[in-house]
Amino acid sequence: MSVPNEETTAVDASAPEFLLDQHVKYIQALDTKKNDLEYWLTEHLRVNGLYWGATALHILGHPDALDQEQIVEYLVKCQHDNGGFGGHIDHDPHILSTLSAVQILITYDRLDAIQVDKVVDYIASLQNEDGSFSGDSWGETDTRFIFCAINCLSLLKKLDDKRLDLQKTIDYVVRCRNFDGGFGSSPGGESHAAQVYVCVGTLTILGALHHVDADQLGWWLSERQLKNGGLNGRPEKLEDVCYSWWVLSSLSMLNRTHWIDAPKLIRFILEAQDTETGGIADRPGNMPDVFHTVFGIAGLSLLGYPGLVAVDPVYCMPRHVIQRIGLIEKH
Amino acid sequence: MESRHGRKKEQAESPEALKTREEKETVLVREYLALKDTLKEIVESNKRDNDALKVTTALLRKSPDYYTIWNVRRTILKEGFLDNASDDETANKIYTGELEFVQENLKLNPKSYWMWNHRRWCLESMSQPRWDKELAMVGKFLEMDARNFHGWDYRRYIIRQLDLKDKEAKDKVLERAQSEFDFTITKIHQNFSNYSAWHNRSTLLGKLAEDMSTEEREAIVDNEFDLVKNAIYTDPEDQSAWLYELWLIGREERSISILGAHVISFHPLEIVVAFDETVKMRNPFTVSTRVDHVAIPLEGEWKATGSDSALGSVWIFQQAPGAVYGPTVEIVIFSDDVCAVRAGSKLPAAVCYELETLNQNLDEISGRLGRLVIGQNLMYDVTKRIGPVTGPDGTLETQAVHPKHRVTSLTESGSLDDRIALLEREISAVRELVELEPDCKWPIQILSTLLSELRKTVSIHSTQAKVIDDECIELQEKLITIDPLRQERYEDRRTQLVFDRETLSIIQDSKRFPEIEYSAKQPTNLDLSMRGLTHIPISSYLLHLHTLNLDSNSITSTRFLRNLLNVRRVNLSNNLIEHLEGMQHAPSLEFLTLENNMIAKWEDVVAGFVFWGEGKLARTGGHVKVLLGNNPVVVNEGGEYVLEKRWEDVGKVGVEIQWQSEELRLAEEALLAAEDETGAVGNMVVDGTRRVSATVVEFDAGLAH
Ligand SMILES: [Zn+2]
């Protein structure tokens, strides 16, 4: 079903080796740590965590490493009457977990298990007068939630829903553009690589990428790479593995991934692997977590690291899945 | 989306230590789960009392990102306390308590979104929120962490709320903006690297400048330039101030230029219009023909030459079957018919081309350009989009008569001289720094940008333009050596500059400066070999070429071929191409040399011909020969060079692939010719000990599907 990465890139021979099997085991073991307080304290991220884990496993070429039936059954329990999904059973619905749930179900091709129309109702109910989207009924707005909404609707092929005003959404995102070409969390908010990713992703999905000055933003993004190869999220900040994804996927949407040094970034990600437990940390020497594991692995895939399944830069899902549902062409 | 950050990995523990820790952990887990059970009871029983509130407090202390509990807490507060609060004072007390609760937790978890949310909810629900206190709080907060994203966002939020209250009092709003502007300078003076402060300054400066006179604006901007100079002399490697400087300078918006229009086929009528950049078509360009002196619309369809037919730099019009055209055809493109893919540029005014269709000899007319018609009595009614209307001055559109030129990102001027003066001032200042710090990349980058801006103000054929191009190319070469991480970015820039320099014979300044158009006399050959090019920046420039030599560059994609409507021979040997694409629209292509590239898979060859059957070449029965010698796709199998798969797999197409090297082919041809003369039968060529297959796969284009 899945094909290994076609683009292969030169890998520095002295770089640490990629611990594929250990990462698979690390992710499989995540749901067994019930004796750790940490396991319970991160409960609200369970659905997100499943998306991170399942996506990482797909990119690693081990799509069956988690029990699919059990996951689908669990997700069904996380959907509320209003159509939204909570971060866990009995947790309130939120757009962040709703997107994750939909992403997992599409990756496993199990959208049939839920009520899709209700998800669309939920998302449509979150659009605000100014075109932005709230994260939930309490009303917090952020460009992250816009991306979640647009991404989700696009995956469900429901962007044509009559209740939506997408031109207003585009206008709102454009208002979040800054003096440096980047994007913030709201109009006037400072540019941040993760916010750049969600805004460029939104404009890509909505066919409005011409609002982005690719040379200027590509410049800003490529200046995120530091001497040790890692990427930061804002000027004069520390490097972090998760930015391998936010920065790189944005560069990819702008056709400018070659504007940073790929072998050096690969090396940085590989050095952040935990050689004892598997998993990837935010930077070398720190504790791994599933969030940095998936974004490290997805970054490696986007860089053409050999043996990984290709990832889609917009949706952060396996490319063959996005092809299967017809959002990109197959060749 | 945030997760745990910055947790150091601990050293392995002794078995005893591990045991103690595990025991402690078990107790903690038990306590936490018990709390959660209590919460569940509360939710299910709709309890809204103090005990319920206490449970949420205990849980949120342990798990501040457990957003559902914040929601539960607000519901308890509202339904259990606030809704039946006897007066504002009681309610206020509750809200103040909440603010204190958040405050205490923020110290431990300054990056928790939910806590900031809860704070906003309190303030927005209060009858008399103390925004001044909030401002002081966040000021303190930013003293501890001057770059905290949430802190700055929250600060802007407070200001927005206050501004909202003073909607009617503009002076108050401006006064507040000024005070925030002053706050950023405090932060910048504490640390020039505080990019968050520079950012906020950029938004405030824009706001303050809105109501200023031109003189005031110039003064305030000059002040900013001084501030930047201070910062960059303190630390020339710090990108914060440089990015701000770049914004201050601003960019002269480029206008889209139409390079030209011409007929490429008469039956059916096909017209091509070339732009100097990729554009998206908003409305189909208006095409009309004159029959008996009456302009009538000519039916047909516009398509770009790319795989995406709605986006491109070369657009082809094809008449609808049965449509009739007279001796002249006119194309009118209104400025809002197209939008640029790159942000900021637009077509400044409508353009009209007149094409002669009387002499239908395509060989003679090939490459002959349509006449650009300006200022004739050709008023078009924009609403009807077709037909002459009587206009007093005969211009197409009145706009763009008095162009404004950018001076800085905040100021404009009617005269180009102001812009030039500013650029020259900044260029000389940055040059000083380049001399002081020859290996610092930022001044070099900014110098290059300033020079490129200056080039936009002069004629493309001027000596000054040439001098600027040469210097900018040198600067890129310097940058490649001092900043290897971003080497390919500089190479792309260098490619653009070299391409501009080498294609000067193809274009000229248009009558409507600063636009450009095709030169009246188009070269048919262009040699761009060994120029270090990574890509072809604007392939529409090459529309008229018959032969293009790109031997020995670093080109990675053949996509640009789709715009080379007249090209017969392209040499792309010794480049970095991995797969073929863009061939379907090159109707005249006869010979494509791709020797010594990196094409490794048969699919990557086939991909170039996927839409071949729909392309023009297949329709007209043309033939193209592709040389693939010395690519990884050609495998030496037992002395014989074979391709992985056979051409039959993709259907019948008019393509001939040769996979031995051209050198050998020529030797073989000579041998065959010699044999021909002697009447001998052709034999396989023997090269040393290796036998080389001379087979070519050939198909009849007429059968293409
Ligand atoms: Zn991170």
Side-chain angles (χ1 to χ4, degrees), chain B residues 189-326:
Chain B
H189 279 146
Q190 282 165 6
N191 180 3
F192 278 129
S193 302
N194 191 332
Y195 190 74
S196 306
W198 287 103
H199 158 79
N200 218 25
R201 201 166 171 82
S202 79
T203 64
L204 292 160
L205 190 57
K207 202 165 168 186
L208 288 170
E210 262 171 33
D211 292 308
M212 284 183 179
S213 68
T214 314
E215 291 75 31
E216 282 173 320
R217 234 184 253 193
E218 277 167 14
I220 196 168
V221 169
D222 270 346
N223 207 31
E224 294 304 291
F225 275 114
D226 288 341
L227 176 65
V228 169
K229 300 258 140 58
N230 252 326
I232 56 191
Y233 270 91
T234 312
D235 181 5
E237 289 283 2
D238 176 5
Q239 56 186 281
S240 310
W242 284 116
L243 286 166
Y244 193 76
E245 159 96 9
L246 208 55
W247 171 71
L248 281 180
I249 295 159
R251 272 171 314 160
E252 183 78 43
E253 275 181 13
R254 283 196 50 217
S255 44
I256 299 171
S257 298
I258 299 178
L259 296 169
H262 76 139
V263 175
I264 51 167
S265 155
F266 288 102
H267 305 288
L269 183 69
E270 286 187 337
I271 300 165
V272 60
V273 174
F275 292 82
D276 72 333
E277 61 182 290
T278 303
V279 296
K280 198 172 181 170
M281 184 184 274
R282 278 201 182 128
N283 312 301
F285 313 147
T286 309
V287 184
S288 62
T289 183
R290 267 172 202 279
V291 177
D292 298 334
H293 304 287
V294 183
I296 52 161
L298 187 61
E299 300 287 323
E301 201 189 351
W302 284 99
K303 263 187 184 167
T305 53
S307 49
D308 181 352
S309 60
L311 210 68
S313 60
V314 173
W315 289 81
I316 297 177
F317 172 81
Q318 195 179 58
Q319 76 171 112
V324 183
Y325 57 92

Side-chain angles (χ1 to χ4, degrees), chain A residues 240 242 282 291-292, chain B residues 5:
Chain A
D240 180 334
C242 60
D282 56 351
F291 174 84
H292 289 95
Chain B
H5 281 99

Side-chain angles (χ1 to χ4, degrees), chain A residues 22 26 271-279 281-288, chain B residues 6-12:
Chain A
Q22 289 202 50
Y26 172 78
E271 281 170 351
Q273 297 178 107
D274 191 313
T275 51
E276 288 163 25
T277 60
D282 56 351
R283 63 180 66 94
N286 282 357
M287 294 280 280
Chain B
R7 289 180 309 158
K8 281 264 165 282
K9 193 168 168 79
E10 282 137 27
Q11 295 298 312

Side-chain angles (χ1 to χ4, degrees), chain B residues 304-593:
Chain B
T305 53
S307 49
D308 181 352
S309 60
L311 210 68
S313 60
V314 173
W315 289 81
I316 297 177
F317 172 81
Q318 195 179 58
Q319 76 171 112
V324 183
Y325 57 92
T328 58
V329 171
E330 283 164 9
I331 307 162
V332 181
I333 302 164
F334 295 95
S335 49
D336 59 354
D337 284 349
V338 289
C339 66
V341 169
R342 54 191 279 152
S345 57
K346 54 178 189 279
L347 190 65
V351 179
C352 174
Y353 283 95
E354 196 176 276
L355 299 161
E356 304 282 341
T357 51
L358 267 181
N359 177 2
Q360 300 213 338
N361 181 346
L362 201 58
D363 282 338
E364 225 172 85
I365 209 160
S366 167
R368 207 165 92 196
L369 300 168
R371 211 155 52 91
L372 177 63
V373 189
I374 302 174
Q376 291 204 358
N377 193 15
L378 275 165
M379 262 307 262
Y380 279 82
D381 181 347
V382 185
T383 53
K384 288 187 189 136
R385 313 201 63 76
I386 182 69
V389 292
T390 44
D393 59 352
T395 49
L396 282 171
E397 272 174 31
T398 46
Q399 69 197 70
V401 181
H402 302 292
K404 284 267 187 195
H405 300 283
R406 194 149 281 303
V407 180
T408 69
S409 64
L410 296 172
T411 53
E412 280 182 339
S413 159
S415 118
L416 204 51
D417 294 345
D418 295 342
R419 174 76 175 159
I420 294 171
L422 178 105
L423 290 172
E424 285 178 341
R425 183 189 82 193
E426 289 304 305
I427 285 170
S428 71
V430 178
R431 271 192 205 288
E432 275 176 36
L433 202 62
V434 172
E435 266 170 44
L436 283 172
E437 305 271 351
D439 289 325
C440 180
K441 70 171 185 174
W442 285 97
I444 302 177
Q445 292 194 90
I446 305 303
L447 177 58
S448 165
T449 308
L450 284 163
L451 288 168
S452 298
E453 281 299 309
L454 191 62
R455 191 195 191 261
K456 289 183 189 167
T457 67
V458 299
S459 156
I460 52 170
H461 288 283
S462 66
T463 327
Q464 198 185 356
K466 199 190 161 315
V467 173
I468 290 175
D469 281 349
D470 290 347
E471 182 175 4
C472 283
I473 291 168
E474 247 174 67
L475 293 174
Q476 302 310 311
E477 280 159 3
K478 172 87 185 168
L479 287 165
I480 289 170
T481 61
I482 58 178
D483 186 21
L485 286 182
R486 282 155 281 264
Q487 176 181 346
E488 296 198 34
R489 192 180 85 202
Y490 305 123
E491 278 172 2
D492 280 356
R493 180 73 193 127
R494 184 187 167 282
T495 293
Q496 172 81 56
L497 291 159
V498 170
F499 185 84
D500 285 350
R501 189 173 68 179
E502 302 286 338
T503 52
L504 274 177
S505 62
I506 291 174
I507 48 161
Q508 63 185 11
D509 284 317
S510 146
K511 294 167 196 80
R512 303 171 306 168
F513 183 78
E515 288 165 64
I516 49 167
E517 62 187 22
Y518 286 128
S519 330
K521 198 169 163 3
Q522 284 294 304
T524 51
N525 299 336
L526 189 64
D527 183 354
L528 289 175
S529 61
M530 294 191 283
R531 301 294 202 282
L533 303 177
T534 58
H535 64 287
I536 300 298
I538 318 161
S539 54
S540 53
Y541 276 33
L542 312 177
L543 186 70
H544 299 284
L545 291 178
H546 289 189
T547 306
L548 175 60
N549 184 3
L550 291 165
D551 193 347
S552 302
N553 282 289
S554 307
I555 294 170
T556 53
S557 165
T558 63
R559 202 175 302 147
F560 66 94
L561 286 171
R562 65 185 180 208
N563 284 338
L564 276 51
L565 297 181
N566 291 295
V567 81
R568 278 102 166 121
R569 300 177 78 90
V570 179
N571 183 353
L572 271 163
S573 293
N574 304 302
N575 278 283
L576 303 171
I577 289 156
E578 289 178 3
H579 59 272
L580 301 192
E581 52 188 328
M583 246 81 75
Q584 61 270 32
H585 291 289
S588 314
L589 192 63
E590 290 166 4
F591 210 79
L592 177 62
T593 313

